[in-house]
Amino acid sequence: MYDFAYQKPGSLADAVSVLSGDMEAKALAGGQTFIPVLKQRLNKPSTVVDLAGLGLSGITVSGDVITIGAMTRHADIASNADIKAKIPGLAHQASLIGDEAVRHRGTMGGSLANNDPAACYPSALLALGGTIKTDRRTIAADDFFQGMFTTALDQGEIITSIDLPIPEKSAYEKFRNPASRYAIVGVFVAKFASGVRLAITGASQGGVFRHTEMEKALSANFAPDAIAGIVTPADGLNGDIHASAEYRAHLIGVISKRAVAKAA
Amino acid sequence: MGYQGIGASVRRKEDLRFLSGKGNYTDDINRPGQLYAVIKRSDRPHATIDSIDIAAASAAPGVVKVFTGADIVEAGLGGIPCGWQIHNIDGTPMAEPMHPVLAVGKVRHVGDPVAVVIAESRQDAKNAAELLDIAYTDMSAVANLTDAVKPGAVEVHDGVGGNICYDWAIGDKAIVDGVFANAHKVVKLDLTNNRLIPNAMEPRVALGDFDTSSGDWTLYTTSQNPHVIRLLMGAFVLHIPENKLRVVAPDVGGGFGSKIYHYAEEAIVTWAAGKLRRPVKWTADRSESFMSDAHGRDHVSTAEMAIDKEGHFLGLRITTLANMGAYLSTFAPAVPTYLYATLLAGVYKTPVIYCNVKAVFTNTVPVDAYRGAGRPEATYLLERLVDVIALETGIDKVELRRKNFIGVDAFPYQTPVALQYDSGDYQTTLKVALKNADWDGFEARRAEAKKRGKLRGIGISTYVEACGIAPSAVVGSLGARAGLYEVAEIRVHPTGSVTVFTGTHSHGQGHETTFAQLVVDQLGVPFDQIEIVHGDTAKIPFGMGTYGSRSLPVGGSAMVKAMDKVIAKGKKIAAHLMEAAVEDIEFKDNTFTVAGTDKSKTLTDISLAAYVPHNYPIEELEPGLDETAFYDPKNFTFPGGCHIAEVEIDPETGVVEMVGFTAVDDVGRVVNPMIVEGQVQGGVAQGIGQALMEACTYDSDGQLLSGSYMDYAMPRANDIPGSLSVATENTLCTHNPLGSKGCGEVGAIGSPPAVINAVVDALKEYGVRHLDMPATGAKLWSIIQAAPSSGHTPAMAAE
Ligand SMILES: Cc1cc2nc3c(=O)[nH]c(=O)nc-3n(C[C@H](O)[C@H](O)[C@H](O)COP(=O)(O)OP(=O)(O)OC[C@H]3O[C@@H](n4cnc5c(N)ncnc54)[C@H](O)[C@@H]3O)c2cc1C
C-alpha cells in the first residue's frame, strides 16, 4: 500500500468534516474490501478515516422495522435472534458472505457503500425496500444503487444505519462464483402484505436490480410455479470466464424459483 | 507412549510448531542491515524492450540500487539452466533458448522479470518500481498450444521455428500403425489436460546474504531441494563454488512441485547481496505467485486404442502437445516425456504403444512438474479412453479393465514403453475399492437421486504411476543432467541419541515424524531422542530433495543403509567390549547381544565407547559413530490402485457435487498410516480441484485472466466429500530395503479421471461421450442445453 495518514475520530461530525474537507480521504469500515484494494495499490488515499469509534453498530427492532447500524458485522447479523426470527433471509444471507474472518470484520454499511455488483446485501436492501440513513439524509433503496460500484452517496457522506421493513416472508438464494464465492446470481425475495419484491445481484452489468415481471407474478401467486415461465433476457447481463450472460439469465430463473420455494 | 516404529500412526511432531505459529519460514528470517528487493515484471505477454529509464526510480527515497537485464549481462551471469535435455526424433537436441535472469531485449510472458529495485524497505522499493519508465513495443502473442503450432504463428524465441522445443517419440510407429491397420476396432478420443496454478500456501521468498569477512554467500529460500539450487545457481548462473555457497530451505509451506525449480529471484538476491555487501530479501505477493511460480499440466492430446472383438487392447497411439510456457523451467522437458509417455501402458497389457510429444513454447508462465507430474496426464488420458472404449463397445467398464490388467503373477513386468514394474496387484485394489464404494449398490442410489431431481454418476480409474525417482544411470541416459540418488547421515551421539541428516526436504509431508519412526524401528532409539535435520547445505552432506514421492523410497532407503553401517560398526565395538567374535554379535531393540549368552551392551554403551575410546579396537576402527550412505535406487517404484468417484449433478444449474470418493492404493510398506491417509486425502483434494474447478485461463493475447483467487477456483473443504474413504492394499517394492513405494502423488494421479468418468456417467442420458476438465456448472449446463436429448426433463423434486 501507499503511505497514508490514519485517523479514528470519536464523533460523526469529526469524521464527516475530515472526509468532506479532503477529496482524497476515505472511510474505513471492516476493511474487507478496502484493505485488499490498498494492498494492491489500486487506491491512494491521503487519510484513512476509521469509522470504528463512532458507535455505529447495533441491531434494534421498533415496530415493523429493524434498524442495523452501519458498522454492524456480518457475523452479528447472521446470529442475531431478531433478524433470524423476522428477516430470516437476511440472517442466512449474512452467513453466506465470505468466510469466518470476513464475517467478523466486514460490515453492512461498508458493503452497501461499496456496491460491488456481486455483493449480497444490495439485494436485501432493494428487495426489502429499506432506507439508508446517512450523516445528512435518508435515501430510499430504489434511489441508492446507481450502477456497479456507484451509489447516491456524496463525497464524504457516511452511512450511519439501515432501516429494513420486516416482511411476512423472506429468503436469499445464492449461486456462488466457484472462485471468489461472491454471487454469480443472488436472489433476495421479500413478501409483504402490499406485494412481493425480488432483487437480483451478481448478474447484471448495471448492478443489483428488481425483477419487476417476477414481482408481479409473485404478488399474484407466491409460489415457484408462478415464475416458472418467465424468461430473463441475457442482454445487459455479465459474461465472464465463470459464467456467460446466457447462463446467468438461466440461473436467474432457477435461483429465483428456489428463493421463493425457500420463503414460501 | 506405545509403539512408535514402522506401522504406527504417530502424531506428527512438527505440527505443534506449525499450528502454534512457531514455524520458521524463510520470510521469518531477517538479517542485520537487510535490504528489500521488488521485481518489476512485464505486464505485456510479448514485447520488445526499447528502453528502461531508471533515473527516477534510482533517485527515489530509500533506493539503494536498480538492476536491469543489462547489468546482468555486464556481470557475465549465466541464464537459468534447464536440468533435462530431450532429443528430437531425428536425434538432434531440443531447442534450449536462453532464459535470462532479468529480461534482455524482450519480454515473453506477463510476469517476466524486467528489473529489480533494491531499497531500505519494501515500501520504498515498491514506490520506486512504479517510477521505472519502460518503453515497450508490443508484439503479437500466443498463449494457447494449438495456436502456437499453427503455421505463421509468432515465434516466442527467434529461430525456434513453429515454437517447437522438441518433437519426441517413444515406440515403433510402423509396428503400431500396422496393428491399427488390422484391428477389429479403433476408438479415438481428443482431450486436454487443463492448466493449473500450484498455489502453495506459502508464497516464494528468497533472502541472499554475503559475509564480508569470509566471502561466503548464503541463500535462504523456499525450496524443495536446497542442494539442487546450490548446484544450479552456483555452477551455472552465479559461478560461485559450492564451498562458498550455502543454501538453506527452512520450514516451507507447501510446494507441490512449484518449489523444486531454480528461479530468477534466488539468483538476483544472492548476486545482489554480494554486489551491495548487504542482505537482500524478496518476498512474493500472492498476485506475483500467480504469474511467476511455474504452472502445471496443459496438454492437448489425441489418443487412439486398437482393440479386438473381445475388447483386448492391441495397441495405443497418441499425439500430445505439451505447453512449456515461455522458457524451460528446471524439470519441464522431462514431464511430458519420461514422466508421461513411459506411463502410457498403465495397468494394462497393451503390447505396443507409440506416443509422439511436441513441446511448445508460448507466451505464458513456464510450465513444469506439479503434484504427479506427467503421470496424472497419462492416467487421465488412459482412463478416459478406457471408459470411452467401454461406452462404444458395450463392454462393462470394470470387466474391460479386468480383462486387460497385467496379472498379479506377471511381475516383474516389462512394458512396451521402457519401464519395468516390479510389483502390484491391480485385481485386489480394484476388488477392495468396488466393495468399499458399494459399486453394486450404485444403481439403487442413482434411482433414489433421480427422485430428488439429481443426476447421479459413478466413475472408476485404475492406475499405476512411477515414483521414487530415480536410478541415476537410467535417468542420465534419458537426458537428466543430474543423478537422482539420496543421501542420509546418521549421527549417533555419545549418549545414544540420534540426529539424522537427510537430503530430502519436508514441506508439509511429515518427514520429521516418519523418518524418526524408521530410526525407532531399526536402532530402537526412543522417538523423542531422534532429531531429523533437513534443508541446509551446510549441515547435510548432499541431497536431491523432495518431489516425485521419492523421500521415503529413496531418502528412507538411504537412512536404512546408513543405519546398517552404524549397526555393523557397533557390532565391531560390541565384539571388542564383550570379547566375542563379530559374527556372534546380534543387534535388536537397541541392544547388542552375544548370541546364545546373556552378555549384552546397549547402543548407548557402544556409542559412549565410540566417542570415549579408552577401551576400544583403535588399531582397526576409527572412533565415533556417524555414518553416511548415498543410495541410488535400482528402479522406479510403482504405486498404483483404484479410485472411485460418485457425483450428483443438478441438471438445472449443471453444478456437480462430489457425494463419494473411495481410494484404494498400493503404496508399498506404510510407515505411518495416518500420514499416508493425509497425503492421499490432500492429493485427492487437488485431483478434485483439477477435475471440477481449477482453470488457469489466458486470453488469446496472453493476458492471464485467472490471476487471483477472485478468478482462480481452488477446492475447499466443503468441495471434498465428507465420506472420502482412503485405504491401502499393499504389495512391497521389491528393490528397496523398505519395500515402500511412495504415497505423495497417488491421490492427484488417480482421482481426476475417476471424477470425470463419474460426471460423464451421470450425463449418459444426454449422450455425452467426453468433456474436458474442469467440469464446471457453466460447462455442464451448456452441454446439457446442447445435448440432442435436452428436451428430456429429469424428474424434479416435488417442492
Ligand atoms: C475473501 C472475501 C470474500 C468475500 N465474500 C463476499 C460475499 O460472498 N458476498 C459479499 O457481499 N461480500 C463479500 N466480501 C466483501 C465483504 O462483505 C466486505 O466486508 C464488504 O464488501 C465491505 O465491507 P467492509 O465493512 O469491509 O468495508 P471496507 O472495506 O472498510 O470499505 C468498503 C468501502 O465502503 C466505504 N465505506 C465503508 N463504510 C462506510 C460507511 N459507513 N459510509 C460510507 N462509506 C463507507 C469505504 O470507504 C470503502 O470505499 C468478501 C470479502 C472478502 C475479503
Side-chain angles (χ1 to χ4, degrees), chain A residues 26-27 29-34 74 98 106-107 113 119-120 159 174 181-182:
Chain A
K26 220 165 146 55
Q32 295 306 294
T33 296
F34 192 23
H74 309 329
T107 69
C120 297
I159 300 177
K174 180 178 182 181
R181 314 282 161 131
Y182 276 68

Side-chain angles (χ1 to χ4, degrees), chain B residues 3 46 85 242 283 297 319 357 372 381-382 398 413 438 473 484 509 526 540 571 777 787:
Chain B
Y3 175 67
H46 200 191
Q85 186 180 49
E242 281 97 332
T283 303
R297 316 251 152 82
T319 56
V357 179
L381 176 143
L382 212 47
V398 173
Y413 179 80
D438 186 21
L484 284 166
Q509 295 89 343
I540 294 128
K571 282 184 176 172

